[in-house]
């Protein structure tokens, strides 16, 4: 989970990638609202996804999440 201290930070960009490196979701003001859907609102496949949270002046936060429905 991305740190709760980032919620509402306007300096953070959260990007979610599929296993092929394609961006499937991106938000420029992190608010912990990603619900397993793409930027277009389509439910994403059950598989692993990788995220990067880039916050100005801080180290990037990276990790993985697996969608299971």
């Amino acid at each position: 989970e991305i740190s709760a201290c980032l919620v509402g930070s306007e300096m953070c960009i959260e990007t979610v990638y599929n296993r092929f490196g394609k961006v499937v979701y991106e938000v420029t003001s992190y608010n912990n609202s990603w619900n397993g859907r793409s930027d277009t609102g389509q439910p994403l496949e059950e598989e692993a996804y990788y995220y990067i949270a880039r916050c100005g002046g801080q180290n990037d936060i990276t990790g993985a999440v697996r969608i299971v429905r």
Side-chain angles (χ1 to χ4, degrees):
E1 177 177 307
I2 299 175
S3 175
C5 68
L6 300 179
V7 173
S9 175
E10 294 183 15
M11 298 297 292
C12 290
I13 299 172
E14 178 191 12
T15 308
V16 179
Y17 301 87
N18 67 12
R19 63 185 169 148
F20 302 110
K22 179 183 176 192
V23 174
V24 295
Y25 178 80
E26 187 167 61
V27 64
T28 57
S29 179
Y30 179 74
N31 60 12
N32 200 29
S33 64
W34 187 56
N35 60 3
R37 293 179 178 268
S38 70
D39 277 334
T40 62
Q42 298 298 314
L44 294 171
E45 298 289 324
E46 290 187 20
E47 64 178 60
Y49 294 87
Y50 306 91
Y51 64 83
I52 300 175
R54 292 186 173 96
C55 300
Q58 298 180 30
N59 292 333
D60 291 350
I61 298 171
T62 62
V65 61
R66 182 163 187 82
I67 295 178
V68 179
R69 293 190 173 92

